[in-house]
Amino acid sequence: MSQWIALSRTKHLDHSFMPRQGYGFARTQQLVPILIAELGQLLPHYVLAFVQQNGRFTPVAVTGLGGERNLYLQADGKWLANYVPAILRGYPFSLANNEENQQVLCIQQDHLLEGQGSEPSSESGTATHSEQALPLFNEEGSLSQSAQQSLDFLKKCDANRRTTQAASHLLQESGLIEPWPLEIERANDQEPLTVKALYRVSERALNALKADAFAGLRRHGALPLAYAQLFSMNQLSQLSDRAAFHARQSAHAEEVDLEALFDGADSEIFSF
């Protein structure tokens, strides 16, 4: 099983890293945590829900219907939507707290290489070869441009994660989150798929809030999350359509122009 390695200038000054090639690492991920900052980009493509962890709720994008398949992932690791949730785009880097409770930059072990790579030199600022390793540190001992971009993006995500957690907690404390016995209809008289352990915003409870409680949600930024989850339920067909797409591919190995269907999914890696 792969591990996360805390980066150290002392230990890894002469190391490089292999950039992420696609999203194969998320092949079995059925639920992807989301951020308030990306709600507008998520809504056209995903069903949003909440999951309960340690008594608290976390908002997620639903990317699977059970089993082992992420319905948003092609066999070659290409993401089948025009927007990829931010939490996945920081890979192969992540942030974690060390023993002193200080936040440190970590890298996935399989992407850490001995020896220096070279920074991208093309005019577009991207690597000229898909397998090119990039340096972790520059000659001055500071993070390389590529690693620093990843760190800055992860910090921005982490700050918004705390905002998202606070908003979710406020919705919970306001009694607005309820179990969601989700059923996905399927074609050809197949039995509906049931997705368990999901939660949603109660539209009835939201509409019944008193004015001061409603104003409190607005003041603390929780209303966008509540309404985004409610509006996203119109995207349930995305899940059934993607399940049918994968079933057709498995049965007939048909060729599909994925570039035309899902163009630009990774065009802005370090933005929401």
Side-chain angles (χ1 to χ4, degrees):
M1 183 176 180
S2 298
Q3 297 179 341
W4 290 95
I5 305 297
L7 287 179
S8 163
R9 186 178 290 103
T10 303
K11 295 180 180 179
H12 304 118
L13 184 62
D14 60 346
H15 283 56
S16 57
F17 73 97
M18 190 65 68
R20 169 181 51 76
Q21 303 294 327
Y23 295 89
F25 63 90
R27 192 170 306 282
T28 62
Q29 196 158 350
Q30 307 284 301
L31 303 168
V32 179
I34 61 168
L35 304 172
I36 281 181
E38 58 181 342
L39 291 176
Q41 289 88 341
L42 291 166
L43 275 176
H45 309 290
Y46 301 92
V47 174
L48 307 183
F50 294 89
V51 293
Q52 191 171 28
Q53 298 175 324
N54 301 320
R56 308 194 81 171
F57 289 99
T58 299
V60 296
V62 181
T63 56
L65 296 173
E68 297 183 355
R69 181 186 290 276
N70 180 334
L71 298 177
Y72 283 76
L73 198 65
Q74 178 66 0
D76 62 0
K78 182 178 178 62
W79 195 263
L80 301 181
N82 288 336
Y83 182 79
V84 182
I87 195 172
L88 300 178
R89 285 183 276 128
Y91 192 92
F93 295 100
S94 70
L95 291 178
N97 290 333
N98 60 18
E99 295 178 353
E100 289 77 34
N101 203 32
Q102 297 173 327
Q103 206 169 55
V104 295
L105 181 64
C106 300
I107 188 170
Q108 227 286 333
Q109 184 180 40
D110 293 344
H111 287 254
L112 181 63
L113 305 174
E114 293 187 7
Q116 282 283 5
S118 59
E119 285 286 357
S121 57
S122 65
E123 291 183 2
S124 64
T126 57
T128 57
H129 191 280
S130 62
E131 295 297 321
Q132 183 180 9
L134 302 177
L136 285 167
F137 295 93
N138 58 30
E139 294 179 355
E140 289 74 35
S142 301
L143 284 175
S144 66
Q145 180 181 1
S146 300
Q148 186 64 51
Q149 279 185 321
S150 295
L151 175 60
D152 293 342
F153 178 69
L154 289 171
K155 285 183 175 179
K156 185 164 63 172
C157 288
D158 188 60
N160 198 255
R161 178 186 59 81
R162 292 192 292 271
T163 300
T164 305
Q165 286 179 332
S168 299
H169 183 62
L170 185 56
L171 294 177
Q172 178 182 1
E173 290 294 297
S174 301
L176 299 181
I177 299 181
E178 65 179 8
W180 187 10
L182 176 60
E183 284 193 351
I184 306 293
E185 297 295 332
R186 295 193 291 175
N188 302 323
D189 297 323
Q190 297 181 80
E191 289 292 323
L193 285 170
T194 300
V195 184
K196 300 180 180 179
L198 294 181
Y199 294 79
R200 65 183 175 188
V201 169
S202 169
E203 187 173 6
R204 174 192 54 78
L206 181 61
N207 291 335
L209 279 179
K210 294 182 179 180
D212 57 342
F214 188 86
L217 294 180
R218 182 177 66 246
R219 187 166 56 252
H220 291 94
L223 280 182
L225 182 58
Y227 283 117
Q229 193 283 311
L230 289 170
F231 293 151
S232 78
M233 292 192 289
N234 291 321
Q235 300 296 347
L236 286 173
S237 61
Q238 291 265 1
L239 293 170
S240 54
D241 289 348
R242 290 169 190 278
F245 166 79
H246 286 292
R248 289 196 304 271
Q249 276 206 315
S250 298
H252 305 294
E254 62 182 282
E255 294 185 2
V256 180
D257 186 357
L258 294 175
E259 293 297 330
L261 285 174
F262 307 105
D263 186 35
D266 206 19
S267 59
E268 296 191 37
I269 297 175
F270 298 112
S271 70
F272 292 117

